[in-house]
Amino acid sequence: MSFTLDDLRKEETKPVVIVDAQGIITYINQAFIDVYGWTKEEALGQALTIIIPDELHDAHHMGFSRFITTGEPKIMHTPLSLKARNKAGEVFDAEHYILGEKVDGEWVIAASVTPL
Amino acid sequence: MQPATLESLQRQLTHLRQTFGKMELAMDSVTQAIVWTNNQGQIEWCNGRFDALIGQLHLYILGKKLTEILPLFLNGTAVEDSKHPLNLVVKEGQRVNEIYKFETKEGDWLSLEISGRPFTPNTFGTSAVFTLTDVTEKRKMEARLLNSQKLESVGSLAAGIAHELNTPIQYVADNLRFLAEEVKGYHDFIERFYQTFSEETTCPTEQALMEFKEVGKSIDFEFLREEVPRAIEQSLEGAAQVARIVSSVKAFSHPGSTEMAFSNMNAAVENAVNVSRNEWKYAANLELNLDKSIPEVKCNLGEMNQVFLNLIVNAAHAVDDANKATGSTEKGKIIVSTKVEGDEFVYSVQDSGTGIPENIRKRLFDPFFTTKPPGRGTGQGLHIAHEVVVSNHSGSIDFETELGKGTTFIVRLPIKGVKSPSNN
């Protein structure tokens, strides 16, 4: 089943995070706050890398940049088990569902990141 | 100084994103696998070619130790963690460039040329970047080339070897003819002896004794006493010479193991000298300076045989050319030496040949480069020697040359088959 940006904006049970084309967090839902520990004030305006373990930052930057540059998704619209990190610095497996949509000509990337 | 505005930082970020995006696209398009790790040896990024090599999507490789994802083999044995290129780079700070074997998920064995270098982007220690080139096909091609050159050299040496065999066989045959002739005399004498002193004859007649003496006189015993043992000795020497040549040809063509194994280099060099005798013996006197204290050297003996031979044949041709150029009737000189220097085996071939002109020195090891006329060489000899020594044995091949004086080729091999860290 394929989700849309709107679906993830309406999602209430799974933690959702949305970033702009620079990878800056523009939206998190209550489930995200509950699971990951950051408040809206703390998370909004931060780089998405706060929820990514250090050793995955390079791959994230390269892959994210590639998508923004080409618009060709490699890992989107399919559930993936990847590592995630919470505010306390704990690293755990989480099911990632990532999608990208253009809003007013700019890419918006959204993901649900549910701990496994 | 004005602080950077948010707008300019955003422009920079957008630009950097595009640069990263293009870099990832470019690095995904190359045929080499690329991977880099952090200071813990955890994979931080890899390209699509690396994914294909490992047989896993990179998302599931990221963060894992490169030593676990990429187990390697060198000279038939598994590379232990401390010797894995990752640790040589990250822990020892070395640059590496080595060919390893790797087994794919499908069970295929690949030859990977792995080149790695350390870098220290921050204070968290040394990280590593690796490029991996699949040289399996290249190695197979080289093996085929080596084999075809071996056949070529065996073919061109065949006439010389036949000639070398002919000389002892000829004097063995001459001696056997002589012995056959003389044995006839002995036979007549012995036959007459039995007739004269048969069991039925209690006392031979005067006539029978006279005839027996006549037969005895017709045989030159003094001559035979000296010549028969000599003919037998020479025949045995001839047979031994034939056996030596055949043994050298056999050892040269079928060195036993086709893998890296500890081998007697002096014996191999002597075999190369023997099988090429007809190439050098008319042009040069060959001096063998073999250091008897050399330990066995880890190498692929079949490949090294070819190197030993190629350098001797080249020296013979260079001396022959010099003799012809100067019109000299005297033979030139070739000195073939082996010795140990530190942890290296050194093989050198010095000739009193023409020397190598300056303008071709750089191309000497190029494939198909030759200055020889058709039929005398296809330009593979030095190229193959270089590939065998440098690529397959982590050794070196160099030369010193002076026009009109001669050339010395020097081959160095690590005795234990791998370079010691100080040689890297």
Side-chain angles (χ1 to χ4, degrees):
Chain A
M1 181 177 170
S2 193
F3 294 97
T4 64
L5 182 60
D6 249 8
D7 293 333
L8 292 193
R9 278 192 202 281
K10 289 175 191 154
E11 177 61 49
E12 287 179 0
T13 54
K14 290 179 180 172
V16 169
V17 56
I18 298 177
V19 299
D20 65 13
Q22 268 79 44
I24 303 298
I25 298 172
T26 56
Y27 169 86
I28 54 174
N29 65 3
Q30 188 56 45
F32 184 92
I33 294 165
D34 297 340
V35 170
Y36 285 83
W38 285 284
T39 62
K40 273 190 182 169
E41 290 70 28
E42 288 168 334
L44 299 187
Q46 295 281 344
L48 181 63
T49 45
I50 61 169
I51 68 156
I52 299 172
D54 288 348
E55 65 271 18
L56 305 182
H57 283 190
D58 281 4
H60 160 72
H61 285 306
M62 296 290 272
F64 189 93
S65 301
R66 179 184 178 141
F67 173 71
I68 295 296
T69 308
T70 64
E72 294 164 11
K74 270 177 91 179
I75 58 163
M76 289 183 173
H77 299 287
T78 181
L80 297 165
S81 170
L82 298 171
K83 300 278 182 207
R85 180 169 66 180
N86 64 17
K87 188 183 172 184
E90 294 160 339
V91 174
F92 45 85
D93 290 319
E95 186 187 270
H96 289 55
Y97 183 93
I98 307 169
L99 60 86
E101 283 184 21
K102 275 206 166 176
V103 177
D104 299 331
E106 290 288 332
W107 281 108
V108 172
I109 318 293
S112 66
V113 277
T114 315
L116 288 168
Chain B
M1 194 173 75
Q2 291 281 322
T5 63
L6 186 62
E7 195 185 340
S8 79
L9 285 174
Q10 274 180 334
R11 264 205 310 275
Q12 287 264 29
L13 192 55
T14 304
H15 190 87
L16 278 175
R17 285 269 179 235
Q18 286 176 0
T19 306
F20 276 173
K22 284 183 270 192
M23 276 169 60
E24 219 209 29
L25 265 183
M27 288 195 285
D28 243 359
S29 314
V30 297
T31 52
Q32 286 174 312
I34 304 171
V35 59
W36 68 69
T37 73
N38 62 11
N39 60 335
Q40 301 298 309
Q42 290 174 293
I43 297 169
E44 290 191 316
W45 184 85
C46 56
N47 66 353
R49 189 82 192 100
F50 188 83
D51 291 7
L53 191 71
I54 303 300
Q56 277 192 69
L57 190 60
H58 70 280
L59 287 172
Y60 302 113
I61 299 171
L62 296 170
K64 292 196 174 153
K65 282 253 188 182
L66 185 64
T67 44
E68 287 164 24
I69 294 294
L70 192 72
L72 298 170
F73 288 77
L74 193 61
N75 302 330
T77 48
V79 175
E80 54 188 277
D81 261 19
S82 62
K83 299 271 190 267
H84 193 281
L86 171 76
N87 287 323
L88 294 179
V89 175
V90 171
K91 291 193 177 150
E92 312 281 338
Q94 290 179 28
R95 282 185 180 224
V96 295
N97 193 1
E98 186 69 76
I99 295 174
Y100 296 91
K101 288 269 185 191
F102 171 73
E103 189 181 13
T104 65
K105 263 188 166 176
E106 290 75 32
D108 296 326
W109 283 95
L110 302 181
S111 293
L112 295 180
E113 183 174 0
I114 300 183
S115 174
R117 56 159 297 172
F119 71 102
T120 309
N122 49 41
T123 53
F124 297 120
T126 304
S127 308
V129 180
F130 295 96
T131 55
L132 300 86
T133 311
D134 183 354
V135 292
T136 314
E137 279 306 310
K138 188 173 167 242
R139 298 273 280 193
K140 280 185 191 163
M141 286 273 290
E142 279 170 5
R144 280 198 286 270
L145 191 63
L146 185 72
N147 199 39
S148 71
Q149 208 250 345
K150 190 166 143 186
L151 291 173
E152 179 200 318
S153 56
V154 167
S156 64
L157 291 175
I161 292 166
H163 184 78
E164 287 296 313
L165 287 172
N166 201 37
T167 309
I169 283 175
Q170 211 154 34
Y171 64 73
V172 167
D174 288 348
N175 281 323
L176 285 175
R177 259 193 298 276
F178 164 75
L179 289 171
E181 191 64 34
E182 296 310 323
V183 160
K184 228 174 96 199
Y186 275 114
H187 187 259
D188 288 349
F189 181 71
I190 290 165
E191 201 168 57
R192 180 65 63 168
F193 172 85
Y194 279 117
Q195 282 169 8
T196 311
F197 302 104
S198 66
E199 281 177 16
E200 297 86 42
T201 317
T202 48
C203 184
T205 63
E206 190 73 15
Q207 176 67 23
L209 283 171
M210 281 293 289
E211 281 175 18
F212 179 57
K213 275 184 186 171
E214 282 306 310
V215 173
K217 275 183 195 165
S218 71
I219 301 166
D220 187 347
F221 274 111
E222 282 307 309
F223 173 73
L224 290 180
R225 190 175 288 135
E226 278 188 26
E227 289 304 317
V228 168
R230 189 181 294 169
I232 291 172
E233 195 182 329
Q234 281 186 351
S235 300
L236 289 172
E237 267 175 35
Q241 173 72 358
V242 169
R244 268 197 299 276
I245 296 168
V246 169
S247 157
S248 286
V249 171
K250 204 175 148 198
F252 180 82
S253 314
H254 301 287
S257 170
T258 53
E259 296 293 328
M260 297 285 275
F262 282 99
S263 311
N264 181 338
M265 302 309 255
N266 284 344
V269 169
E270 281 184 283
N271 286 334
V273 167
N274 286 339
V275 298
S276 63
R277 186 173 301 275
N278 205 58
E279 296 287 317
W280 51 261
K281 73 174 184 185
Y282 299 110
N285 291 314
L286 189 144
E287 190 180 314
L288 259 180
N289 287 337
L290 304 181
D291 179 350
K292 301 290 178 199
S293 68
I294 290 174
E296 291 198 322
V297 176
K298 194 167 189 187
C299 68
N300 180 322
L301 194 58
E303 292 184 1
M304 285 311 298
N305 276 342
Q306 201 62 36
V307 174
F308 297 147
L309 177 77
N310 288 353
L311 294 185
I312 293 169
V313 170
N314 272 5
H317 290 171
V319 173
D320 190 38
D321 288 348
N323 291 350
K324 282 178 184 154
T326 58
S328 170
T329 51
E330 278 191 25
K331 284 186 184 179
K333 189 160 198 179
I334 297 172
I335 304 173
V336 177
S337 313
T338 60
K339 61 178 174 178
V340 171
E341 272 182 14
D343 54 4
E344 288 183 321
F345 159 75
V346 183
Y347 166 74
S348 65
V349 180
Q350 181 184 347
D351 68 57
S352 61
T354 47
I356 302 160
E358 178 110 39
N359 61 331
I360 63 167
R361 287 177 195 169
K362 280 187 181 167
R363 300 166 61 199
L364 221 52
F365 296 112
D366 290 355
F368 301 105
F369 177 76
T370 184
T371 57
K372 293 176 186 174
R376 211 174 179 195
T378 53
Q380 293 300 306
L382 284 177
H383 169 67
I384 282 170
H386 187 272
E387 285 298 303
V388 165
V389 172
V390 178
S391 303
N392 300 0
H393 289 83
S394 304
S396 67
I397 179 166
D398 302 294
F399 60 91
E400 293 159 4
T401 186
E402 196 177 334
L403 276 180
K405 298 267 184 193
T407 305
T408 305
F409 276 89
I410 305 151
V411 169
R412 291 169 191 278
L413 292 191
I415 288 171
K416 290 180 180 165
V418 285
K419 281 188 222 176
S420 65
S422 59
N423 289 338
N424 271 329

